[in-house]
Each structure stands twice: as C-alpha cells, then as structure tokens.
Amino acid sequence: LPRRLPSVSERDNGALALVLHTHMPYVEGFGTWPFGEEWLWEAMACCYLPLLDVLDRREAAVTVSLTPVLGDQLGAAGIGERFGRFVEETRRFTHEEDAAGLRKAGLEGLAEELERAWREDYEGALARFRARGGDLVRGFGEHVSWTCSATHAVLPLLASDACVRLQLHAGVAGHLERFGEGWRGGLWLPECAHSGELEPLLTGAGARGTCVELTGRLGLGAAGHLRPVRSDGGLVLFPVDRRTISLVWSEGGYPADGAYRDYHRHTVHHHNPWCNGGGAYEHELAKARAREHAEDFVRRVRERLTRAGRGLPGGGLVVCALDTELLGHWWYEGLTWLDEVFEQCAIQGLELVGLDDAAERFEPAAAGEVVGEESWRASSWGRNGDLSTWSGAGVAEMAFGTRAAELATLAGALDGRAGRTAVRELLALQSSDWAFMVSRGIAVPYARERFEGHRRGLERALAAGAQAKPEGLGSLAEHADPRLLLVP
C-alpha cells in the first residue's frame, strides 16, 4: 500500500501520467525460433505476466493501451497449450543445454544465473499463467483503458480515408468485444504518428484523446509538452515528454547501467547471463539499482514540474509513454523499476493520473496557441520525429507497395472482389512493424518475408473474389468489415 497520498494542495503541483503501450506484431503461426511465435511467448513470460502481477498489486493510476492485433493473439484458440510447450519443452531444454555448456567451460556463475532465470522467469511464469486460468485477455481487462488501430498501421501513410476508417473501426470493435463498453475514447496512434487530416476520422471512430510527439515543433524540454491541447475538432492531444522518456529510453538511459542484464550478449540459445559491465549478471544487485533509478526518476519528474510546470493549469502534466515490452523484455529489470516508481510516487508526493481523467484535471490549451495558423503536420516518435522510419529511402518500396495494395483493395471493394479475406490481408500488410524492422535492422529477412507474404495473399484473395478463404490468418482482425471501404 502507498505510504502516503498527495494532499489537496499537492494537486496543484502537477502530475505524472505513465502510459504503457502494449503491442506485438501478428506472429501467430508465422515461424518459431529465432523469429515468430517465440516473440509472443517471451513477451508473455518475461513482460505481460509479471506486469499484471505489479498492476494487480499496486492498483495505481496508469494508462495501459493494448493493440487489437495483440488482443487477437492473446485470445486465440490453443494459446495456452502452445505457451506451455514453449516453456516446458523449448525453454527447459535451451536453459539446460546452455548451463551445461557454461559449466563445461568453467563458468559456474553464469550457469547458475541461467538456472535461476529458468525457475523464476519461465517455470514461474507458466505457474502464474495457469493460476490466471490461461486467460491474459481477462487479466489485462482490469487495467486496459486505451485501444489502437487494428494492426498498428502508420495512419498518415495510408492512401485513403476509407482504409484509415477501416483500421480504426476494426480496432475499436475488437476492443469493445474484449473489454466491454467502458471505453472512454482513449486511442493510441501507432508510432505516435499524427497529422491534422486524421482528426475527423479519429473522432468519427469515437476517439476523444490520443498522444502526440511535438518535440520537433516545441523543442526538447519546452513547457508546452506539459499541457494537453484541444484540437479544433475537439480531440484532446497529450504531448509525450521526450525529456522524461529519455531518462529511460535513450542510449544513455537507465537500462544502459553496468549492473543491468546485457540484452545484446547471449549464449548459443540467446540467453543473457552477463551484465552490461561485462561480468556475470547479479540479479539482486541489479534489482537494487532499479530501485535507485526509480527514486531518481520520480525526483526528476518532480523537478521538471517545479521548473517547467509553474503557471500551467494544475501545475503541469508529464506524460511518460513507453512500449510495455521494454519492461521485462528489453530492459530485464524494468518491471522492478516500475513497481518502485509507484512506491516512490507515494513517498515523494508525486500524483499519478490516468489520461482518461487528465483532460478534466489539466485544462487543455487551444490548438491555435500551439500551432498558430499552421496545420498539424505529420509527426511521430520515430527517427527525426517524422515518418521516415516507415517511408524513408530504405523502406520506400514497402510504403509505396502498401499504398498500391490499398488502392487495389478499394477497387476490388467497388466491383465486389474484395471480401473479408482480402481486407484482413491488407490490414496485416499495413502493420508498421515490417518497415520498422527493416529500418532498424531487426530480423530484416523475416520482416520482408512477412510483407511479401501478405501482399501475395492479398493478390490471391482479390483474384478469388469475395468468397476467398483465409490462408493462415488465424485470429487476425476478425472484426474487419469490407463494407467500411464503401462508406463515402
């Protein structure tokens, strides 16, 4: 339980909104090691299950978004059996093999660390999964308040309003079916990719609030990042605070500390018993360092509010948005850090607030105060704050290929060839993940294979006509309605 709560007067000292954007590309049935479904199993074991434990215990005000494409996979038939086999067969074997190899090389400390990780991270995760009845959708249902577009498409790059509408409405429909009617209009824009042209489509889908990246417009550290903005169409835009996010997500951020587990140095089966400092990883030492970093994080947020939030309504709002998978997966100690952040907010008197309540608590500025006479040009939290990560020279053929496929699908909708299978293949093709992986050099052959596979699948579906049967699409985007492509 919190040791203390903010007093009434402290409510004028600003607040922190932690936003956890939870997303996984569609990997159901598409490969295993080293790329494919194992990404989902790893995220479940090392991120989602321990995260739910933290959220259940703390009951803190935190904004959690979960993408429909991830919801599709977490609710898919047979997920429990496949996850169980992954843990009891694959991970048991790989940990035993690598530990034996390290012992043979005289590296007893590294072998012991692998054995600890197996017991706590994998065997323990499977026990927690079964204790939850194998239902992570239900587990997240206690905490998820925001949704996203159906397959995490970069919406400003789509060629037509019709396909933006399809992405949004399919995403919202999936969210409402899984989590009920309590949605208050929070919608995470994939990659924080926003432009003014999206606004009528967002509000038309029921969105009331979203996050945007305005560092390129306002400048790093500007006070304007600490106040929501109300667009001309009534949408509340919450600027993410890059200065605060960089404490965590940057080359010199907390996860680079020498005590933490080295994500990039691995054994034969990609386990990580080393620390960033080069020696054997010491778990208790790393957890202690994470608690120190949590204390430092809360202190810095309070200082930021004191310096930049003075004079703003409510004392200012720091929005720290992170990919959920950073915590526990990329940054192994990240969930220890998050747990202690909740504790430190209570100790240091920093109020936590969810974004659904923040528009009432922190009066938004009018759009004209931020953009003047300009329109809202396209922005994102990608490289350079623009859309180049998903449309630049290295991935231009993917961006243009996706738009061409979209236009072909629209033509197919007009003449009756584009049925549900074609639409679902298009949505899979539009995922931001394929271009992102190519731009960042992550599993590039797999990303290109997936992109081309969905493009060919769409071509086959259009050729077969509206009654084409899905091939390998599993549970993906079953709420997609081809009739939305015909709405003016």
Side-chain angles (χ1 to χ4, degrees):
L1 293 175
R3 299 180 189 175
R4 62 184 297 276
L5 296 172
S7 67
V8 174
S9 62
E10 286 172 333
R11 287 175 61 83
D12 294 326
N13 292 335
L16 168 65
L18 280 171
V19 183
L20 301 180
H21 174 53
T22 316
H23 170 61
M24 178 68 58
Y26 188 68
V27 294
E28 180 189 3
F30 287 94
T32 52
W33 192 88
F35 314 121
E37 279 195 334
E38 286 199 10
W39 286 346
L40 179 59
W41 312 142
E42 285 286 345
M44 287 171 57
C46 298
C47 178
Y48 302 153
L49 283 159
L51 170 66
L52 289 176
D53 288 346
V54 172
L55 296 180
D56 288 348
R57 182 173 65 255
R58 288 294 182 178
E59 297 183 349
V62 58
T63 302
V64 180
S65 72
L66 190 142
T67 59
V69 64
L70 175 55
D72 293 338
Q73 297 172 89
L74 294 179
I79 183 173
E81 292 79 1
R82 299 204 302 281
F83 178 60
R85 287 197 300 272
F86 168 76
V87 173
E88 294 180 319
E89 299 174 11
T90 302
R91 277 295 166 257
R92 183 190 296 273
F93 168 78
T94 59
H95 280 84
E96 289 175 351
E97 283 287 297
D98 285 352
L102 291 168
R103 279 203 172 88
K104 187 175 181 180
L107 302 171
E108 180 64 25
L110 297 179
E112 291 178 354
E113 165 54 23
L114 284 191
E115 290 167 345
R116 180 207 64 80
W118 152 250
R119 291 191 307 271
E120 296 183 15
D121 297 344
Y122 296 93
E123 193 172 41
L126 184 57
R128 292 195 295 274
F129 179 73
R130 288 171 173 166
R132 290 181 176 274
D135 191 348
L136 285 187
V137 171
R138 181 178 180 182
F140 270 111
E142 299 295 319
H143 307 287
V144 168
S145 56
W146 278 34
T147 188
C148 187
S149 65
T151 57
H152 212 257
V154 179
L155 299 180
L157 288 178
L158 301 190
S160 67
D161 287 356
C163 281
V164 173
R165 189 182 300 113
L166 176 69
Q167 279 277 353
L168 292 173
H169 283 262
V172 170
H175 178 87
L176 293 177
E177 181 172 297
R178 290 186 188 97
F179 303 117
E181 299 297 324
W183 182 55
R184 296 169 62 184
L187 192 142
W188 179 269
L189 285 172
E191 317 296 0
C192 273
H194 172 266
S195 67
E197 292 77 10
L198 293 176
E199 301 255 339
L201 298 165
L202 292 168
T203 55
R208 297 175 59 191
T210 193
C211 289
V212 292
E213 169 70 83
L214 299 181
T215 305
R217 181 183 295 275
L218 301 178
L220 182 67
H225 295 294
L226 307 188
R227 186 178 182 184
V229 179
R230 190 177 299 280
S231 72
D232 293 337
L235 191 69
V236 178
L237 308 174
F238 295 98
V240 299
D241 188 39
R242 179 57 53 185
R243 172 152 289 179
T244 299
I245 293 171
S246 294
L247 295 173
V248 180
W249 196 291
S250 66
E251 289 186 4
Y254 298 138
D257 187 90
Y260 291 142
R261 192 164 83 171
D262 188 344
Y263 179 83
H264 301 284
R265 186 180 181 187
H266 49 75
T267 62
V268 172
H269 293 101
H270 281 237
H271 300 308
N272 310 91
W274 291 275
C275 68
N276 288 330
Y281 176 71
E282 298 180 49
H283 189 45
E284 293 303 317
L285 176 64
K287 288 198 297 184
R289 190 68 177 131
R291 289 189 283 269
E292 293 173 3
H293 280 146
E295 182 179 5
D296 178 72
F297 176 81
V298 173
R299 177 181 58 80
R300 291 195 187 206
V301 171
R302 292 182 72 244
E303 291 174 352
R304 174 119 172 84
L305 288 166
T306 298
R307 294 171 182 171
R310 187 177 295 121
L312 294 177
L317 175 69
V318 168
V319 178
C320 180
L322 303 169
D323 285 334
T324 299
E325 293 74 22
L326 168 69
L327 307 176
H329 180 64
W330 300 100
W331 180 18
Y332 181 62
E333 302 78 12
L335 289 169
T336 300
W337 171 85
L338 178 69
D339 192 33
E340 186 65 20
V341 164
F342 293 145
E343 178 76 1
Q344 285 295 321
C345 283
I347 293 171
Q348 298 187 40
L350 175 61
E351 184 183 2
L352 279 167
V353 64
L355 289 185
D356 282 342
D357 298 319
E360 300 173 9
R361 172 90 162 69
F362 300 90
E363 179 187 355
E369 297 179 41
V370 178
V371 297
E373 298 300 319
E374 300 178 67
S375 63
W376 288 94
R377 64 176 180 268
S379 61
S380 80
W381 70 354
R383 184 176 56 236
N384 304 320
D386 56 23
L387 305 181
S388 59
T389 298
W390 304 273
S391 63
V395 291
E397 81 285 359
M398 300 178 83
F400 282 110
T402 302
R403 289 168 69 88
E406 175 182 341
L407 295 175
T409 306
L410 287 171
L414 291 172
D415 63 20
R417 291 177 295 118
R420 192 171 296 273
T421 296
V423 164
R424 292 171 68 198
E425 288 283 9
L426 175 65
L427 292 177
L429 182 68
Q430 289 174 332
S431 168
S432 72
D433 300 286
W434 319 133
F436 176 82
M437 286 191 279
V438 173
S439 289
R440 296 294 299 272
I442 302 170
V444 172
Y446 179 80
R448 291 194 179 279
E449 176 185 328
R450 291 296 307 279
F451 179 84
E452 290 301 329
H454 290 301
R455 182 156 63 174
R456 290 192 300 270
L458 173 58
E459 291 172 351
R460 289 193 299 270
L462 289 175
Q467 303 306 314
K469 297 186 182 302
E471 299 177 15
L473 289 175
S475 61
L476 176 70
E478 293 180 340
H479 297 87
D481 188 346
R483 293 174 296 181
L484 286 171
L485 298 179
L486 301 175
V487 176

